[in-house]
Amino acid sequence: MLSYQHIYHAGNLADVHKHSLLAWMLDYLTRKDKPVSYIETHGGRALYDLDADEARKTGEAAQGIVRVRHWFEADHPYAKCLSQTSDLHGENAYPGSPLIAAQTLRDTDTLTIAELHPSEHNALELALPTATVRRADGFAMAHSMLPPTPRRGLMLIDPSFEVKDDYETIPGHIKKYVRAWNVGIIVLWYPILTSGAHANMLKTLANDHPDALRHEVRFPPARPGHGMVGSGLFVIRPPFGLAEQAANLKTRLDQVK
């Protein structure tokens, strides 16, 4: 349950999908002069070294952000985060979603992030000293703080899915989150697997939230036998323009061989 470390997968094509659209959504929210709450249920360590042995072992970053960074113009919110991270931490540094949030949001906004893994939690605290970082079950933390103050904002649910029950329990969590936070943007990332383990979860989510945006991209497996062949985002109350952004990104990702 506490074995997952994202450093092995940081900067892969799923991260490009998830992080580029997250950065765009957070940028969208900050265009108005109103404070924002950002909540993340499974934060990881926030800052990754793509030259670390773990990252080099899988080669996923080399097939991901290293290969496709040029897709994003300098003024794209994701490109800005990548550049800021490189400037501060070196050319091999990569921002996880908590750091993307911290770089995009303002002093008037709030960041609350959960991470249960002990060493990942410690690294997260070091990376984001101004955020509220909790060593807690992320699903329970979200239930305890909704609706947040300020009420306007976004929650990212990005579990490792190493706990197999997640596929069964996530729809119930999200249904309660939507009721408790009636203005929040709720974003779930999920892997697309050759096993089809995600299929029933998505069927339930689509039935519960018919107006949500479901966006999926496919790409080759990172290595022979690897079970993840795509990345999905399920976005409740998607911001205006997100569907177009997502479609443009899919066009690019569809070209990856």
Side-chain angles (χ1 to χ4, degrees):
M1 182 175 178
L2 294 177
S3 64
Y4 182 84
Q5 294 183 339
H6 192 62
I7 181 61
Y8 291 94
H9 314 290
N12 64 9
L13 289 174
D15 269 3
V16 172
H17 176 224
K18 170 177 55 186
H19 291 156
S20 62
L21 295 179
L22 173 66
W24 186 91
M25 284 187 277
L26 292 174
D27 179 76
Y28 177 91
L29 284 172
T30 57
R31 293 173 199 170
K32 289 186 178 179
D33 188 22
K34 294 181 179 180
V36 168
S37 290
Y38 177 78
I39 302 166
E40 186 164 347
T41 59
H42 301 75
R45 68 178 67 173
L47 178 63
Y48 299 92
D49 178 6
L50 299 185
D51 198 40
D53 290 343
E54 298 93 334
R56 292 169 64 88
K57 180 178 180 180
T58 63
E60 291 186 32
Q63 298 177 51
I65 188 58
V66 174
R67 183 180 178 190
V68 306
R69 184 169 179 165
H70 67 280
W71 286 355
F72 301 93
E73 300 291 341
D75 61 350
H76 190 285
Y78 182 46
K80 291 179 181 179
C81 291
L82 293 172
S83 295
Q84 185 174 344
T85 302
S86 297
D87 291 344
L88 291 173
H89 304 286
E91 63 179 1
N92 292 313
Y94 182 80
S97 44
L99 186 54
I100 288 172
Q103 291 172 339
T104 308
L105 299 179
R106 307 151 299 185
D107 292 342
T108 54
D109 303 320
T110 63
L111 286 78
T112 307
I113 304 161
E115 175 52 54
L116 200 54
H117 190 289
S119 62
E120 299 294 278
H121 172 267
N122 292 341
L124 179 60
E125 284 192 316
L126 289 173
L128 299 182
T130 61
T132 299
V133 176
R134 298 180 181 173
R135 187 177 170 193
D137 176 84
F139 296 116
M141 182 196 76
H143 284 298
S144 72
M145 63 180 297
L146 296 183
T149 301
R151 289 180 65 89
R152 187 168 174 266
L154 182 150
M155 175 163 62
L156 175 63
I157 305 165
D158 180 20
S160 67
F161 290 97
E162 281 197 326
V163 180
K164 300 307 179 186
D165 286 351
D166 282 350
Y167 292 106
E168 298 175 8
T169 60
I170 280 175
H173 287 304
I174 289 179
K175 199 169 187 178
K176 292 178 180 178
Y177 297 154
V178 169
R179 281 202 302 264
W181 193 13
N182 61 4
V183 296
I185 299 167
I186 297 175
V187 182
L188 170 69
W189 176 84
Y190 57 93
I192 296 176
L193 304 170
T194 55
S195 69
H198 59 290
N200 286 337
M201 179 185 73
L202 268 293
K203 186 180 297 185
T204 302
L205 287 169
N207 288 335
D208 290 345
H209 313 283
D211 296 329
L213 172 66
R214 175 179 173 179
H215 187 258
E216 297 181 350
V217 295
R218 305 269 177 161
F219 40 75
R223 52 196 171 275
H226 191 56
M228 188 173 77
V229 292
S231 170
L233 287 177
F234 192 86
V235 185
I236 297 169
R237 306 185 187 106
F240 178 77
L242 178 63
E244 181 180 357
Q245 289 290 320
N248 291 340
L249 181 60
K250 186 177 187 303
T251 299
R252 292 276 201 174
L253 284 165
D254 283 345
Q255 298 169 6
V256 174
K257 303 297 183 185

